[in-house]
Amino acid sequence: MSAPPEDTPAEAPAPEEAAPVVVTAEAVPVTVTPDAVRIAEALLFASDRPVQPYRLQQVLPEGQPAEAVLEALGRLLEGRGVVLAEVAGGYALRTAPDLAPALTRVV
């Protein structure tokens, strides 16, 4: 058996099947309104248990995705006395970890 002529390209290996590309809502820029952030902050402050994103979504203005609003609120609270914490499948406001030792003497 002889080798194929040099002007005949060798058969390329079959390409592996490409993984599906998942596009999430995070890939689409969303402008979060100050009112949406205020609503989220108020709900989290008033709630006695962690608030799940689907619950927050029920009170947000149309076009304001809960995940984006929570992200904006978390950024807003950076360096403040409270932080946005993910707890038990939801979100809650908690004392900033660096302040906890000072507060345990009083609370």
Side-chain angles (χ1 to χ4, degrees):
M1 189 168 208
S2 64
E6 288 189 37
D7 59 288
T8 306
E11 188 174 313
E16 292 190 25
E17 196 171 312
V21 177
V22 178
V23 179
T24 64
E26 295 155 0
V28 178
V30 174
T31 301
V32 174
T33 65
D35 282 344
V37 175
R38 288 184 66 225
I39 291 167
E41 184 178 24
L43 178 61
L44 291 167
F45 178 76
S47 182
D48 64 345
R49 63 191 62 168
V51 176
Q52 295 180 339
Y54 83 91
R55 298 290 304 249
L56 174 59
Q57 191 65 61
Q58 295 172 356
V59 297
L60 290 174
E62 189 173 330
Q64 297 292 291
E67 291 80 9
V69 172
L70 288 164
E71 183 179 326
L73 177 59
R75 284 194 310 269
L76 180 71
L77 294 174
E78 288 176 1
R80 306 288 305 256
V82 294
V83 296
L84 181 64
E86 194 169 348
V87 180
Y91 292 84
L93 296 177
R94 296 287 190 250
T95 302
D98 62 313
L99 298 178
L103 298 179
T104 56
R105 289 179 267 176
V106 179
V107 178

